[in-house]
Amino acid sequence: MPERTRIEPLPLPGYTDMRVVGSWRRRLAVTLESRATAPHRARTVLNEACVAWAIPASTAEMARLVLSELVEASVEHASEMCHVVVEFDRTRTRLSVAGPCEGVPRVRPRDLWIGWRGRGLQGAADQWGVEYLDQIELIWAVITPAA
């Protein structure tokens, strides 16, 4: 069972923080407005962090794919903004996206036009889930590098 994420108040859109935590842990945090451009902006900031921290290309590519899925889902369900946190360490990459929501989304019948969505999580993430706290939805995923 993965550890629970502590959900904190969300920073304002435009907030970005890249830091080295300890000798091997890297943490990126950014707050984006919930717009159609949010997945692209998240990937751009993630690319900058991966280059700055010399993250292996295969790990960076998986992280981009999963982050796109998480941010897209948050934009669809959140109303105002989404807060992205990506943490790299020696053994895994943990990605999470939090945003205000108006309740738990309902399962909808499969739509032929959007049936491809979600495959980034299914194909790349080793674990993923959704947590809710006080009208904040947190979508998270964990990926581990290939051996």
Side-chain angles (χ1 to χ4, degrees), residues 1 14-15 17 29 47 49 57 78 82 95 101 116 134 139:
M1 182 81 167
Y15 169 86
D17 179 31
N47 282 337
C82 59
L95 306 101
C101 70
W116 59 271
D134 296 330
I139 310 167

Side-chain angles (χ1 to χ4, degrees), residues 63-118:
R64 279 191 296 272
L65 174 65
V66 171
L67 186 60
S68 287
E69 293 286 343
L70 296 179
V71 172
E72 228 176 87
S74 180
V75 167
E76 183 178 334
H77 297 289
S79 56
E80 304 161 14
M81 63 183 156
C82 59
H83 184 64
V84 175
V85 175
V86 181
E87 295 176 304
F88 297 98
D89 67 25
R90 290 182 185 182
T91 61
R92 68 186 183 128
T93 302
R94 188 178 196 317
L95 306 101
S96 62
V97 179
C101 70
E102 297 181 13
V104 179
R106 294 182 311 232
V107 176
R108 298 182 302 211
R110 183 178 172 155
D111 183 332
L112 294 176
W113 293 102
I114 62 170
W116 59 271
R117 292 181 57 203

